[in-house]
């Protein structure tokens, strides 16, 4: 499958520009799975996307599982990294978040529990190359 957008990022500025390019693709109602190892830029990308939506105080939801933001668009930001089992998502009403068509839902580490993700989603893959270069690719699934 060919990516809709793909860049090689050598700086935070490159990742920020990529977030800007994604504004034309990622819309309310979309679920966006963010895949990549630790330190590849997943959280930074979401922070930059949030800034472009008028949200300055976004952060990692590692310990809270989900953060909610209101700006030009409502944004839900999940992090599955610390989950021990998918059932923990049911306790916080995960499917209610996914069914909110007025919001954009970002899910870091979604590949840990893909069985709970919708079949139709956007996937952004963050891959570390040599010399701190990252390949960031956006696909529609």
């Amino acid at each position: 499958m060919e990516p809709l957008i793909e860049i090689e990022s050598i700086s935070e500025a490159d990742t920020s520009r990529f977030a800007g390019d994604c504004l034309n693709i990622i819309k309310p109602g979309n679920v966006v799975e963010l895949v990549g190892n630790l330190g590849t830029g997943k959280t930074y990308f979401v922070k930059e996307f949030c800034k472009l939506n008028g949200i300055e105080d976004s952060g990692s939801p590692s310990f809270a599982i989900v953060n909610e933001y209101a700006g030009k668009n409502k944004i839900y930001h999940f992090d599955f990294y610390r989950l021990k089992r998918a059932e923990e998502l049911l306790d916080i009403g995960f499917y209610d978040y996914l069914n909110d068509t007025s919001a954009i839902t970002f899910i870091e580490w979604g590949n840990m529990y893909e069985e709970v993700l919708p079949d139709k989603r956007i996937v952004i893959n963050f891959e570390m190359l040599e010399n701190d270069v990252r390949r960031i690719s956006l696909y529609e699934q």
Side-chain angles (χ1 to χ4, degrees):
M1 171 182 351
E2 287 294 313
L4 295 178
I5 307 174
E6 183 171 80
I7 67 159
E8 288 192 2
S9 174
I10 60 170
S11 67
E12 289 182 341
D14 287 342
T15 302
S16 297
R17 277 191 292 283
F18 181 80
D21 292 343
C22 290
L23 287 174
N24 296 324
I25 296 170
I26 299 171
K27 302 290 183 195
N30 288 147
V31 173
V32 182
E33 177 185 10
L34 305 165
V35 179
N37 290 332
L38 285 171
T40 54
K42 297 179 301 294
T43 300
Y44 185 80
F45 166 81
V46 175
K47 285 182 179 185
E48 292 301 298
F49 192 90
C50 284
K51 281 183 190 174
L52 294 168
N53 276 277
I55 302 162
E56 294 293 329
D57 61 342
S58 64
S60 175
S62 289
F63 294 99
I65 300 175
V66 63
N67 289 341
E68 299 180 31
Y69 306 112
K72 291 179 201 167
N73 290 297
K74 184 178 359 174
I75 295 176
Y76 300 134
H77 182 192
F78 284 85
D79 188 332
F80 285 6
Y81 188 73
R82 298 201 187 284
L83 292 177
K84 303 231 184 314
R85 55 197 198 340
E87 290 75 24
E88 291 177 63
L89 293 166
L90 301 177
D91 295 338
I92 62 168
F94 179 68
Y95 292 109
D96 293 333
Y97 288 101
L98 290 188
N99 290 325
D100 185 349
T101 58
S102 69
I104 297 167
T105 303
F106 289 102
I107 303 173
E108 292 190 47
W109 298 97
N111 53 314
M112 292 177 66
Y113 299 102
E114 282 192 335
E115 69 273 12
V116 301
L117 301 180
D119 291 335
K120 183 178 180 198
R121 62 185 181 270
I122 294 170
V123 177
I124 303 178
N125 189 52
F126 295 79
E127 178 185 2
M128 187 65 78
L129 305 175
E130 294 179 5
N131 302 318
D132 291 329
V133 175
R134 291 158 174 83
R135 179 180 299 124
I136 309 173
S137 310
L138 182 146
Y139 302 87
E140 282 186 325
Q141 195 163 332

